[in-house]
Amino acid sequence: MADTNGALQAVGHPVRLRVLQRLGNGDTASVTELADSAGVHENTVRAHVAVLEDAGLIVGEARPVAGPGRPGIQYRLTPKGERLDYDFLGLAELLAAVVGRAGLPPEQLREVGREWGRYLAGRPGRYDVRKRVPEILAGLGFSATVSDDEVRLTGCPCPTIAPDRPELICELATGVLDGVLGAVGASQRVGPAQHDPARRDCSVTLVEITAGHR
């Protein structure tokens, strides 16, 4: 469990997750390339790279020499880092347990979700909501269908990740949806929601907002 806790702490930041995603499928990348992928300054990504190295998830090595001068450093996943894809469900379960123990009220859970939603949506702008929302939520294990006034979530992972308190994941997912809607320039935000974890089926009403509150 100590090893799992260390991995959880290491990947528990959006920038570090982006670094790991960039290095997936056997890819290598320099600090400059990692910073570009994560959308942060090189100095910022260096600190996160150090955390991932300390956790044994990535390793730096000399790049093949392509010309005169000292070879640069590139990073790749270690076998431990490559196993994260297989161990992700276990890490997600552990994260749900940590969130549950923290005792955050529903609105704080939603705010955490909103922050993730805005980050996952990427650069703010105008996007096709019916296309972008399902793409982002699919990466979190949800199947989403967007209509004019509702988002339907099916196949929800809530009862799998947090069988004792699936509502925690429901609130986080609702927050993520709200954050994505704001980031993609939608004229709607989340309204009342109905969650049915047992059926893995939820619906979130979309409500129109005024231009001054977008």
Side-chain angles (χ1 to χ4, degrees):
M1 179 63 72
D3 186 60
T4 301
N5 273 319
L8 177 63
Q9 293 171 2
V11 303
H13 191 284
V15 171
R16 296 198 280 274
L17 284 173
R18 291 291 190 189
V19 169
L20 294 172
Q21 290 169 348
R22 174 63 176 81
L23 298 177
N25 300 317
D27 289 343
T28 60
S30 66
V31 165
T32 301
E33 292 165 338
L34 292 175
D36 184 62
S37 296
V40 297
H41 191 275
E42 285 187 29
N43 290 337
T44 300
V45 88
R46 286 182 194 278
H48 293 292
V49 165
V51 172
L52 294 172
E53 281 192 290
D54 289 343
L57 299 176
I58 68 174
V59 64
E61 58 190 14
R63 270 196 158 173
V65 178
R70 297 175 60 184
I73 301 296
Q74 65 183 16
Y75 293 88
R76 62 174 174 80
L77 294 179
T78 63
K80 180 179 176 182
E82 292 172 349
R83 277 203 56 82
L84 281 179
D85 281 345
Y86 299 99
D87 295 338
F88 188 76
L89 179 58
L91 293 175
E93 291 171 341
L94 181 57
L95 178 59
V98 171
V99 171
R101 182 169 294 184
L104 297 177
E107 182 50 41
Q108 288 190 26
L109 287 172
R110 287 199 181 194
E111 184 54 37
V112 171
R114 288 188 190 100
E115 292 179 4
W116 271 102
R118 289 190 288 267
Y119 182 84
L120 293 173
R123 189 183 300 276
R126 293 286 178 178
Y127 299 87
D128 183 342
V129 173
R130 296 193 184 211
K131 179 180 179 182
R132 189 67 176 135
V133 166
E135 286 177 346
I136 293 173
L137 291 179
L140 299 177
F142 295 87
S143 177
T145 304
V146 183
S147 63
D148 290 338
D149 58 2
E150 180 186 74
V151 174
R152 184 80 175 271
L153 302 175
T154 56
C156 305
C158 310
T160 302
I161 294 174
D164 295 332
R165 296 188 63 189
E167 68 276 6
L168 295 176
I169 310 302
C170 294
E171 293 293 348
L172 287 169
T174 302
V176 169
L177 173 60
D178 203 32
V180 171
L181 290 171
V184 302
S187 63
Q188 298 167 304
R189 294 293 186 274
V190 299
Q194 294 184 335
H195 302 291
D196 190 344
R199 296 178 56 195
R200 304 177 68 188
D201 190 341
C202 303
S203 61
V204 181
T205 302
L206 300 180
V207 296
E208 292 289 336
I209 58 173
T210 60
H213 291 83
R214 291 182 189 175

